[in-house]
Amino acid sequence: MRLFLAVAREQSLSAAGKVLRLDPATLGRRMARLEKTLQVALFVKSPQGYALTEAGSQFLERAAVVERAMRGVAVGAIAQSDTLTGQIRLGAPDGCANFLLPQICAAIGRDNPGLDIQIVALPRVFNLTRREADMAIGVSAPTAGRLVVRQVTQYRLHLAASQEYLATHGPINDLASLKDHRMVGYIPDMIFDRELDYLADLGAGRVALASNSVSVQVNMVRQGAGVGVVHDFSLPFAPGVQRILTDAVSLKRAFYLIRHADDARNERLARFASLMTAGLRAEVARLETLSETDLHP
């Protein structure tokens, strides 16, 4: 079960093998044996890695419960030696840093009181070669540099507007009608990643209210300033904002964990990365579920 948890969280045999200090081929055989024992496929194997099946996701939830119970068996000396300490600096785009990382890092901090976590929220690509951070979260996978990159989770985005704005300006029934509305989005010449150029793909035209910050854009939409593309995971923090034209526009993007290749054998950073990525997947799923209801955290 411990090996399964590592593969599920790292989403690849090689990454999990580094965390466990176990040969990937051996780890692969152990996972195959587990699936044979359970008589169910836990993973979808591809060149990109090991993705959980629906059965695998259900097993992950149960395995995590067992893991937490086992960790609580000997709280004393074991807890003292098993906690992370020191300082870790994490770079992230501001949408992730504002709406996801605070609660994730708060949970990690509670379990590791000797750990100092620094979140650097900047709307740009981090340079790990210059050691701007110990690791970073990105919205695309860099192809240059001595980096280890893996996809953490996908997330969804939709057009949205405040209920106040829609009540004043009337319903928006199709994409063509967007030209009659004020658009909220990124400052065009400050878009640091092609994956963020949402409005250009929609042919929305002029961006009347713009910011290089995702959280500022969400707040402008919340204040009734116009229509914008927003992350579904941000909607629970913006009461009164609702998705529109969901059948016509439904975007998917991904978060990637980016680490320097020289840190691949650093057990401390690997443990933090494992905790952080597991938390990121769970929090995106939780908030996206909330975004489809009227509930707010």
Side-chain angles (χ1 to χ4, degrees):
M1 191 170 290
R2 180 173 64 90
L3 305 188
F4 165 79
L5 284 167
V7 176
R9 288 165 177 165
E10 298 298 325
Q11 295 189 315
S12 81
L13 294 179
S14 57
K18 291 175 183 177
V19 174
L20 297 166
R21 296 183 179 179
L22 191 64
D23 178 66
T26 301
L27 190 54
R29 289 193 294 271
R30 297 290 290 274
M31 292 301 99
R33 188 184 310 165
L34 176 62
E35 289 181 319
K36 184 177 180 181
T37 300
L38 297 175
Q39 296 185 328
V40 66
L42 300 174
F43 299 99
V44 176
K45 294 91 171 176
S46 73
Q48 286 72 42
Y50 272 45
L52 288 171
T53 62
E54 183 175 351
S57 297
Q58 294 174 0
F59 188 66
L60 174 62
E61 294 179 7
R62 293 169 172 80
V65 171
V66 174
E67 180 186 44
R68 287 193 294 270
M70 292 301 294
R71 284 179 174 175
V73 170
V75 175
I78 294 177
Q80 290 295 324
S81 61
D82 197 41
T83 57
L84 293 167
T85 59
Q87 175 185 295
I88 293 179
R89 178 174 292 179
L90 174 64
D94 77 309
C96 178
N98 275 282
F99 300 114
L100 298 170
L101 290 183
Q103 52 270 40
I104 295 168
C105 291
I108 295 174
R110 283 192 294 270
D111 293 335
N112 300 273
L115 179 65
D116 296 336
I117 305 172
Q118 298 180 348
I119 301 173
V120 183
L122 292 175
R124 64 172 176 81
V125 177
F126 283 82
N127 191 327
L128 296 187
T129 302
R130 296 178 183 174
R131 297 298 179 177
E132 292 182 334
D134 294 300
M135 61 187 72
I137 296 170
V139 293
S140 63
T143 56
R146 297 186 62 253
L147 302 172
V148 177
V149 182
R150 63 184 178 85
Q151 183 175 304
V152 177
T153 187
Q154 291 187 329
Y155 58 91
R156 296 177 297 169
L157 308 99
H158 288 89
L159 283 165
S162 71
Q163 294 167 359
E164 176 188 357
Y165 180 88
L166 294 173
T168 304
H169 295 79
I172 300 173
N173 298 316
D174 52 48
L175 285 175
S177 62
L178 288 178
K179 67 180 185 299
D180 300 322
H181 294 268
R182 292 173 66 82
M183 300 303 299
V184 176
Y186 280 100
I187 300 172
D189 62 356
M190 295 186 73
I191 296 176
F192 66 93
D193 194 300
R194 176 66 182 81
E195 293 292 328
L196 304 179
D197 199 4
Y198 316 123
L199 294 180
D201 293 340
L202 299 178
R206 184 172 71 100
V207 180
L209 292 158
S211 173
N212 66 333
S213 165
V214 167
S215 57
V216 172
Q217 293 175 36
V218 170
N219 279 312
M220 286 196 290
V221 171
R222 184 181 177 186
Q223 295 300 322
V227 179
V229 174
V230 303
H231 302 74
D232 281 17
F233 61 67
S234 72
L235 288 174
F237 300 93
V241 174
Q242 66 182 63
R243 299 184 300 179
I244 60 172
L245 300 181
T246 54
D247 291 337
V249 180
S250 182
L251 306 178
K252 270 191 177 181
R253 296 293 188 270
F255 286 128
Y256 296 83
L257 178 66
I258 307 164
R259 297 180 59 194
H260 197 282
D262 291 345
D263 295 335
R265 297 184 180 274
N266 187 314
E267 183 179 353
R268 175 173 163 274
L269 291 179
R271 286 174 58 198
F272 176 82
S274 181
L275 292 170
M276 188 272 298
T277 53
L280 192 59
R281 293 187 198 108
E283 192 62 7
V284 168
R286 183 183 77 86
L287 292 173
E288 287 192 342
T289 299
L290 281 177
S291 74
E292 297 176 357
T293 72
D294 293 328
L295 299 177
H296 299 285

